[in-house]
Amino acid sequence: MTHGTDTDTDVSPDADTGLPAQRTAATPRQDLARFAVTSHTLRALASTEPSEEGTRLVRDVRRSKRLLLLRAVLDAAPGAETAEHWALLEEAERQDPAAVHDVLHYPATGVWAEETLRRLHAPQGPPPDLGHLGALAAAAALRAGIGFKTTLRPVNGRLVLPTLGLLRPQGPGRLAVTERSWGDTADVLPLHALPGAATTSLDDLDPYRVPPPGTATGPAAVRPARRLTPKGHKRWDIQWSGAHTLLGRYDSARAEEIGLLLRSVVPLAGGSRSSGATLPAAAGSVLARAQAPPALAATLVHEVQHGKLAALADVLTLHTADRTPRHWAPWRADPRPLEGLLHGTYAHLALAGYWQHAALYGARGAWAQHARIRAQVAAVLPALRAHPALTVTGREFVDGMATAERAMDATPPPGDQHAAARRTLERERRAWCEAHPELAPFVRV
């Protein structure tokens, strides 16, 4: 069975550069590639367990969506300056395709592109930040090692070069950037690389690491931390290294998946209510607060699932429900819309699997975590499976989640931990229904 074969979701790259080609009035529309998601791949993703085909699909969808978004920005922002910046990107790409790919597919670039496109089509609002395209081009050129010169305008006395860090101008006004502008000087503050990670950076610099204030493209009340001190970086290094070690020890497949799908971690500000968050516009990024390694490892597992499901939903319609919050989610006090319930169940299913792996390796408290989270997932799966707004594809996906949950019976926790967790959850369910009597009919027992 094949899903989504008629969904136009990809943009054909330019044959020479891999970038969306500059289009003129005489340029014909490029054919859009189509994604085909087989039942095997859909079931693999539904289980939350890492798979080669699932990871490939997620990465391909992200790449396709980013190219399509950049194409739309180029089409909506004609002008000599835009053309000049894009020409520099193309020149850099001819020298080092991987460098340009990393800059354009960096998570924060997606936030900038979405916000820029929104502003280009809303002329009454704030002007689009088209100058940031120059920063992208300069970063790509610096990484490709080509000779160049471009003039950029710093914002608030700083010029961020995505994937590299920031330049601190010595004076006001526009700044001439060349291949000699980036080096080991006091004017350069590099992006912090997390230890032991091939490509994952700790991003406390990029202005588009989260959407600008006043936009509705991310979770509410999510605030990124300001630029960290060296002490703050060291604290993150220690916690990241510990989490990375635990992931590799308890679940090496998930550790590898996180390495392939996670490009940046954005520190959350102190006092954040959430331990982690994921922004659809910033594919490949996780927002997380500083936390002990076991908690950080669980946060990474949890948040990466949101990114996987978001990519799948970009090419497949899983349900047709609206955004009305009416469903019980045991991990939250507030009612959730079907979309939120689906995402939460998916992420918690992965957590239940991770803690089961950790428990089998003797991790302290892991069986209790597994029993609690699995009971939560099992309690809401019936409501998901019976929801009338699921599409045929969505029903197959949820059925795959239910199959993965039942498979955990092969290695149950010792004693009556699972039964005790179910009893506790039943008390919580009754209390929630009493607090939300109008929504009790939506809680499937």
Side-chain angles (χ1 to χ4, degrees), residues 173-240:
R174 297 174 70 88
L175 176 68
V177 181
T178 73
E179 69 274 13
R180 295 181 296 277
S181 295
W182 191 260
D184 187 17
T185 71
D187 298 332
V188 168
L189 184 64
L191 192 65
H192 188 76
L194 288 165
T199 59
T200 308
S201 300
L202 186 70
D203 194 343
D204 57 340
L205 298 176
D206 199 295
Y208 290 99
R209 61 192 185 276
V210 299
T215 61
T217 55
V222 170
R223 293 187 302 108
R226 295 187 178 185
R227 192 168 71 198
L228 300 179
T229 64
K231 183 177 180 180
H233 284 153
K234 183 176 181 180
R235 181 186 181 192
W236 262 99
D237 286 348
I238 294 171
Q239 293 174 341
W240 171 268

Side-chain angles (χ1 to χ4, degrees), residues 307-372:
K308 290 162 60 179
L309 185 51
L312 184 64
D314 279 333
V315 293
L316 296 179
T317 301
L318 300 178
H319 68 84
T320 58
D322 59 23
R323 301 291 298 178
T324 304
R326 55 167 63 98
H327 299 285
W328 171 56
W331 41 85
R332 293 182 62 135
D334 55 329
R336 302 294 289 152
L338 179 62
E339 176 75 3
L341 183 64
L342 180 61
H343 262 271
T345 306
Y346 186 67
H348 281 81
L349 175 63
L351 271 183
Y354 168 70
W355 284 119
Q356 187 176 51
H357 281 284
L360 293 172
Y361 276 88
R364 181 180 300 177
W367 276 126
Q369 291 274 28
H370 163 74
R372 177 180 61 84

Side-chain angles (χ1 to χ4, degrees), residues 2-8 34-37 315-316 393:
T2 302
H3 305 265
T5 53
D6 295 326
T7 304
D8 290 340
R34 303 167 192 259
F35 279 102
V37 184
V315 293
L316 296 179
T393 302

Side-chain angles (χ1 to χ4, degrees), residues 75-91:
D75 288 346
E81 189 175 49
T82 298
E84 177 186 340
H85 294 329
W86 197 257
L88 180 56
L89 278 166
E90 290 180 329
E91 183 182 354

Side-chain angles (χ1 to χ4, degrees), residues 19 89-90 92-94 96-105 140-141 144:
L19 300 172
L89 278 166
E90 290 180 329
E93 207 277 344
R94 283 189 285 271
D96 191 341
V100 176
H101 179 279
D102 191 45
V103 171
L104 294 186
H105 293 269

Side-chain angles (χ1 to χ4, degrees), residues 127-203:
D129 180 13
L130 294 175
H132 192 70
L133 182 60
L136 293 168
L142 283 164
R143 292 187 54 182
I146 63 173
F148 74 99
K149 181 177 181 179
T150 189
T151 303
L152 304 175
R153 184 178 297 279
V155 177
N156 297 325
R158 41 188 266 166
L159 177 64
V160 173
L161 300 177
T163 76
L164 286 176
L166 68 82
L167 288 173
R168 291 176 283 204
Q170 295 180 350
R174 297 174 70 88
L175 176 68
V177 181
T178 73
E179 69 274 13
R180 295 181 296 277
S181 295
W182 191 260
D184 187 17
T185 71
D187 298 332
V188 168
L189 184 64
L191 192 65
H192 188 76
L194 288 165
T199 59
T200 308
S201 300
L202 186 70
D203 194 343

